[in-house]
């Protein structure tokens, strides 16, 4: 257990500088976006009122007020989130391949550590999950602060509604997937994310174990896992099948997800213990 914790800490520290940069980019982009867009909205509103000789009441009746959805759907806000997701997906590959393709074959030293090789597999997966949930927590902290900043920059009469974090998440489809407002949705979204990490890791280990043939095996395994997980959608869509309740559909996907994760871990353990070539 102690070796596992050390390995997790080691993997996180290897990415910490880039990770901190991603957090800073997210903070700056979203906060600057709130300021720029909020001031732009108020400036444009006053220009329209001046050009059309409208009172505040007439303007609000004709055009409506402003809320945080004017911020959350912009590139200022979504852009850094997309960048973080892309960076973590890329690092999910890099976390393995940097050990093989660095100046020294560092993978050899890791695989020769006096601990079960599966600890290396779990430590890398845990590091990715720690980074993902760290970004999630950071965004959850930022949201109410950014919303408060937005409301302070918009004149009270022009504020359409005061939104809390839950209503902000529900108002934006993309944001609602990244940070689901309900616990069941959170389990689905991040359960799929966790499953993706383990399936991807096992696919990479296929390539590391069998090289050129392993590329094909890894791709086939990834496709098979995806098709297996999505298979209930084809069955549910069949008109001859009985209608299932949402709880039953959720249970089916939950069981499939756990099964795929379990199979990925078993195969990954066999590959990294018996087949991985340094």
């Amino acid at each position: 257990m102690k070796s596992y914790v050390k390995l997790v800490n080691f993997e996180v520290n290897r990415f910490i500088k880039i990770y901190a940069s991603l957090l800073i980019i997210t903070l700056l982009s979203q906060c600057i976006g709130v300021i720029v867009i909020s001031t732009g909205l108020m400036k444009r509103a006053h220009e329209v009122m001046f050009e059309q000789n409208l009172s505040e009441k007439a303007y609000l009746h004709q055009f409506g007020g402003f809320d945080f959805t004017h911020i959350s759907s912009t590139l200022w806000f979504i852009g850094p989130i997309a960048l973080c997701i892309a960076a973590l997906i890329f690092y999910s590959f890099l976390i393995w391949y940097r050990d093989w393709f660095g100046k020294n074959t560092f993978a050899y030293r890791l695989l020769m550590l006096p601990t079960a090789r599966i600890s290396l597999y779990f430590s890398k997966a845990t590091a990715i999950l720690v980074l993902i949930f760290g970004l999630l927590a950071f965004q959850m902290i930022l949201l109410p602060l950014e919303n408060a900043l937005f409301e302070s920059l918009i004149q009270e009469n022009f504020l359409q509604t005061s939104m809390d974090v839950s209503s902000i998440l529900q108002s934006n489809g993309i944001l609602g997937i990244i940070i689901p407002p309900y616990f069941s949705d959170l389990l689905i979204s991040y359960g799929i994310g966790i499953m993706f990490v383990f399936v991807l890791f096992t696919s990479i280990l296929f390539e590391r174990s069998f090289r050129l043939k392993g590329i094909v095996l890894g791709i086939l395994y990834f496709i098979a896992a995806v098709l297996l997980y999505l298979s209930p959608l084809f069955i549910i869509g069949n008109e001859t099948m009985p209608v299932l309740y949402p709880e039953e559909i959720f249970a089916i996907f939950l069981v499939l997800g756990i099964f795929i994760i379990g199979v990925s871990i078993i195969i990954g353990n066999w590959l990294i213990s018996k087949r991985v070539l340094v």
Side-chain angles (χ1 to χ4, degrees), residues 118-139:
I118 191 62
S119 296
L120 181 62
Y121 180 93
F122 280 128
S123 67
K124 291 181 181 293
T126 304
I128 294 294
L129 297 178
V130 166
L131 296 172
I132 291 172
F133 285 109
L135 285 172
L136 174 66
F138 185 70
Q139 186 63 76

Side-chain angles (χ1 to χ4, degrees), residues 80-112:
I81 295 176
L83 176 64
C84 290
I85 293 173
L88 288 177
I89 291 175
F90 175 73
Y91 190 62
S92 296
F93 288 92
L94 185 64
I95 199 171
W96 285 101
Y97 286 111
R98 70 188 298 178
D99 296 334
W100 269 273
F101 299 119
K103 292 182 179 179
N104 300 309
T105 310
F106 189 66
Y108 179 77
R109 293 169 59 189
L110 288 176
L111 293 171
M112 292 299 291

